Amino acid sequence: MALTPEFGPKDIYAQIERTGIQGRHLNFIDDLSSDELENLFITAGMLEPFWRSGLELLRHRILCTLFFQPSTRTRFSHETAMYRLGGNVLTESNPLISSAAAKNESLYDSIRVISQYADVLVLRHPDDERVLADIEQLGSDTVPIISGGYGNVTHPTQGLLDMYTAWRVLGGDFSAMTVMIATPDLSRARSGQSFALGLARMGARIVYSGTTGLRTPDVIREKLDAVNANYEEHNDLTITQQEDLIADERIDLLYLPGCSVKKGDPGRDDFMKKMEEYYFTVDGLSRIREKSGKIVGVMHSLPRNEGEFDFGIDATQHELYFKQIGFSVPLRMSLLANIVGAS
Ligand code: CP
């Protein structure tokens, strides 16, 4: 046995210093190195005892949440995290109705203005290219901006909370994990793609299951290649073939990105038809367990819809999706404390 050089009492301020990401934006999960990711999770572990009670790491600091698309989890959990850290929140959940965006103010100007009020901004926006161009142009004229989801391609804080949940449930060794990401539409699965990119950064193995013609966007494929991702892709499998794959490949976690086509939107019927082959059931998960001896953890970014998901999984050991919600609070506390910098 060897003594570890960093042995000593846990110190949250020293830990935040060690993570070293104060003042940074977060656009894609691979903006963070593997050391930075690990330190974010270590910080989250230190903050976990306080996720229901709180501590005053960010007293008098202000978070602004500006959401151009609907949200329950991402907005509320960042806001909960800020309140639990002793900070305050400015929130705009309908900017095209009730902010100056309704008077055609540019996103660039809105961010510059908000930066005079808040210490950090969490932004959700449908146009990833537009947001990334504005952030580049803003340079130092903005506070740190955390993506709460941009376009179809990135939702890094979802990926982080998914990674933190995986890290906690499987004991912290990403290189030993195999994760399957299954959806009929990988081209619009920003949650699953962010999780995959983070997993790849940490050396996990990824198995994609999708549909021909709706593949992982090029921007993500380039990033996966850049981090030497260990991934494989399967297309157009039936549900039975997917169950066999999970058992044969000894998959630890099945991730369902919750990408959907809403009632009334074009392509709904086609999507629901494809979704039939992604309808994982309690019985199917039991068959996988009989074949492989493994209890596969089922993760989902939520929301989920009737007809796309077997709600019976809720009462089984497979359920991780509501646990993800719990883990999202200490993870986002860690992210805010590390990016704003504790005082
Ligand atoms: N998972 C997720 O992004 O949920 P919301 O759309 O409710 O934020």
Side-chain angles (χ1 to χ4, degrees):
M1 300 276 289
L3 294 180
T4 52
E6 284 173 4
F7 178 73
K10 286 182 180 173
D11 178 340
I12 189 70
Y13 296 97
Q15 176 54 36
I16 287 168
E17 190 108 3
R18 199 170 300 128
T19 311
I21 60 167
Q22 188 173 349
R24 297 246 297 264
H25 300 307
L26 180 60
N27 296 320
F28 288 89
I29 207 163
D30 67 336
D31 293 346
L32 299 164
S33 69
S34 53
D35 278 351
E36 288 164 348
L37 286 168
E38 187 161 356
N39 276 307
L40 268 177
F41 302 143
I42 291 169
T43 316
M46 290 168 79
L47 292 171
E48 223 176 273
F50 305 98
W51 78 282
R52 298 295 281 181
S53 55
L55 75 171
E56 302 247 313
L57 280 183
L58 294 185
R59 194 157 172 257
H60 298 313
R61 301 304 186 94
I62 295 176
L63 160 70
C64 176
T65 52
L66 179 63
F67 275 54
F68 285 83
Q69 291 176 303
S71 169
T72 298
R73 283 147 287 272
T74 310
R75 190 165 65 85
F76 283 166
S77 67
H78 276 103
E79 293 175 0
T80 301
M82 193 60 175
Y83 285 127
R84 294 294 191 214
L85 291 167
N88 296 294
V89 174
L90 300 172
T91 188
E92 174 54 80
S93 60
N94 209 350
L96 293 174
I97 301 289
S98 54
S99 84
K103 298 185 278 184
N104 285 329
E105 182 168 67
S106 68
L107 183 64
Y108 176 96
D109 277 4
S110 294
I111 293 173
R112 243 186 121 149
V113 169
I114 287 166
S115 296
Q116 303 291 319
Y117 307 136
D119 298 288
V120 60
L121 169 64
V122 177
L123 174 67
R124 174 170 283 192
H125 200 281
D127 186 343
D128 49 291
E129 287 179 9
R130 164 76 184 283
V131 172
L132 297 174
D134 280 350
I135 291 173
E136 173 124 19
Q137 200 192 341
L138 279 156
S140 59
D141 290 325
T142 171
V143 289
I145 303 173
I146 297 171
S147 166
Y150 299 156
N152 288 327
V153 295
T154 187
H155 190 354
T157 69
Q158 178 71 46
L160 286 173
L161 79 88
D162 296 333
M163 289 180 76
Y164 184 57
T165 306
W167 193 71
R168 291 283 278 101
V169 75
L170 294 176
D173 183 3
F174 286 104
S175 66
M177 289 178 205
T178 303
V179 179
M180 178 158 152
I181 297 173
T183 170
D185 190 353
L186 284 164
S187 71
R188 292 189 300 170
R190 66 187 183 186
S191 303
Q193 298 299 359
S194 296
F195 188 27
L197 199 47
L199 288 167
R201 171 70 100 194
M202 300 305 278
R205 182 165 164 255
I206 300 143
V207 177
Y208 281 114
S209 176
T211 309
T212 302
L214 297 173
R215 64 181 213 153
T216 295
D218 287 344
V219 61
I220 302 297
R221 302 178 87 83
E222 284 160 20
K223 286 175 174 293
L224 287 169
D225 291 342
V227 298
N228 292 318
N230 176 4
Y231 74 101
E232 63 190 58
E233 298 171 279
H234 300 263
N235 281 328
D236 311 318
L237 298 182
T238 64
I239 184 70
T240 310
Q241 287 171 325
Q242 292 190 83
E243 287 168 9
D244 286 343
L245 186 66
I246 291 169
D248 295 344
E249 297 295 321
R250 304 196 54 74
I251 286 182
D252 299 296
L253 300 171
L254 169 62
Y255 190 85
L256 307 171
C259 154
S260 187
V261 178
K262 293 194 291 297
K263 275 188 188 146
D265 284 357
R268 165 83 177 170
D269 290 347
D270 185 41
F271 178 82
M272 290 308 289
K273 185 89 198 122
K274 289 195 179 84
M275 199 64 212
E276 285 170 17
E277 301 299 344
Y278 294 84
Y279 190 89
F280 292 92
T281 62
V282 175
D283 288 348
L285 293 166
S286 300
R287 279 193 293 276
I288 293 167
R289 185 178 179 177
E290 274 163 31
K291 195 171 173 195
S292 69
K294 282 182 81 116
I295 301 173
V296 178
V298 178
M299 302 178 74
H300 196 299
S301 53
L302 302 179
R304 58 183 178 170
N305 294 309
E306 196 94 39
E308 299 174 17
F309 193 87
D310 180 359
F311 288 17
I313 298 170
D314 292 9
T316 69
Q317 282 178 283
H318 302 282
E319 182 277 312
L320 291 177
Y321 32 93
F322 289 117
K323 296 182 181 74
Q324 286 167 250
I325 304 296
F327 286 120
S328 76
V329 177
L331 182 281
R332 284 174 169 140
M333 288 169 75
S334 166
L335 188 64
L336 290 170
N338 275 299
I339 283 184
V340 174
S343 48

